Amino acid sequence: MSHPRPASDAVARSVPVKFQQQMSRWRATVDAHVPPAAVAGGRLMSLDVARGMAVAMMLFVEQLRGNGFPSLRHATWVGLTWADIVFPCFMFLAGCSLAVVTLRVPVTGNLIAMFVRRALNLFAVGLVFNAFSGGGADLSTLRIPGVLQRIGVCLLAALLVVLACRRLPVGRSQSASSLSASSPPGRSQPGGSVLWVGLVALVLLVAYGQWLVRSGLGCGSPVTARCNAAGALDRRLLPVAHLYRGADFPGYDPEGVASSVAAVVTVLAGWVAMRCALARQASVRWWLLALPAAAALWAASWIGPLTAGIGSIKRLWSPVFTLRTAAIALVVLALCRPLDGLQHRAAAVAHRAVYPLAALGRHALTIYVGQHLIGTALDRTTIDGRSLAERMAGHFAGFGGEGRYLAFAIACTLVATAAALTLDALDRTAKRRPPPSS
C-alpha cells in the first residue's frame, strides 16, 4: 500500500532544482556562524543600544509640548517626520530580538507558548494603559487597539510566519538534508529560511497596499483620512467607541487591525536583518551589506506597483512608510552592530560610552509606560488653571516661547535616563547577591 507523500515534497518537486540549490546555499551561509552570546543567553549590546536610541527619541517626542518644531510631531496624514520613525524602529528591533530568541529556544512548542503569554500580557497592560490615558476605566469607551497591543500581536504573528517558513522546502543539497536530519523531533531547524520569510513579507506588503486601493471598503485612490479601507474594516470589527478618537480621524484607529499586517512586515524585516547579521562571515563586514540593503529598501519605496501609489502614511502603515522606516532602522542597527564585535579595552571603553542608551534599551517597556503615565498625570493636574506640565516648562522660560518646551522635553528625557540607569544598577546588584544558604 502506497502512502501519500507530504505536501512539502510536492512543493519541492514544483520548484526548479537550481532555485532550491541556491536557497540551500543561502541557508548554509546563514547557519554557518552564530555568536555564542546569541545562543548562550547573553545580551547583544547592539540591540540594547539601538533600542535605547529609539526610547530616547520616544521620550523626547512624547514630552514635547507646545506647537512648534513640526518635524518632531507626527505627520497629520501624508509625510514622514522624526516622530513617525520611533514606533517602526521599535517593531523592527522587536523582530531582531525575535531572531535571537528563536536561536535560544529551539523547541517550537515552547516558543509559541512564550509568545502567546507575552502577547496576552502586553495586550492586558495596553488596555490598562489606554484606560488611564483615556480618563478612566469606562468599559463602554475603552480603546481596544494600542501600541502595546500591536507589539504583542505582531510579534506572535511574525513568529508563526517564521515557524511556518521553516517547514517549507529549502532544496536538495547535502547541507539542507543534514540540517533536517540533525534536528530532533519537536525542534525547529536552527536557521529557518531567510529567503522564504523575506518573500512572505514582500507578498504581505504588496497585498496590503493593493487591498487599500482595491478592496471596495474605502474610496479607492487617493486614500484619505476620512475614507480608507483600514478605517472601514476597523469600524466593522469594533464599535466606534472603542477606537481611536482623534478629532481628525473619527471611527479610525492608527493601530487598527488592517495596518497591523504591514507592521508584521516590519517585524519580519527585523528578523531577516538580525538573522543575516548573526551569520556574519570573516571575509565580509555585515554593515557593508546592510547599508546598500537599506538604500535598496528606500529605492523600492518609489516603485509604484510595489507601493500601490500610496504615499508615506504612518497612520495606515502604508507600504512606502514600511519600506522607508525599515531602511532607517536597518541603518541604525548597522551603526550599532560593531559593538558586539569589540574585545578587551576597546569593548570596555565603547560600552561605557553607550551605557545610558543600553540601560534605556534594557528597560524600554518600564520607561515607556512610566513616562506616559507620569506625563498624563502632569497634564491633568492643574493649579490655578494651569497644568503642572505647563508650570514646570515655565521654569525654562529663558529659552524662549517654544524653546522652553524643547528644554522641558530634554529635561524629561534626562530624568527618564537616570531612572533607567537606577533600574539597571538594581538589576546588577540583585544578580551579584549570593543565593540564600539552605
Side-chain angles (χ1 to χ4, degrees), residues 161-181:
V161 170
V162 170
L163 295 179
C165 288
R166 286 179 173 179
R167 304 181 67 87
L168 294 174
V170 243
R172 301 172 182 173
S173 70
Q174 183 63 30
S175 62
S177 60
S178 62
L179 281 171
S180 301

Side-chain angles (χ1 to χ4, degrees), residues 124-137:
V125 173
L127 290 178
V128 175
F129 184 88
N130 288 350
F132 185 85
S133 301

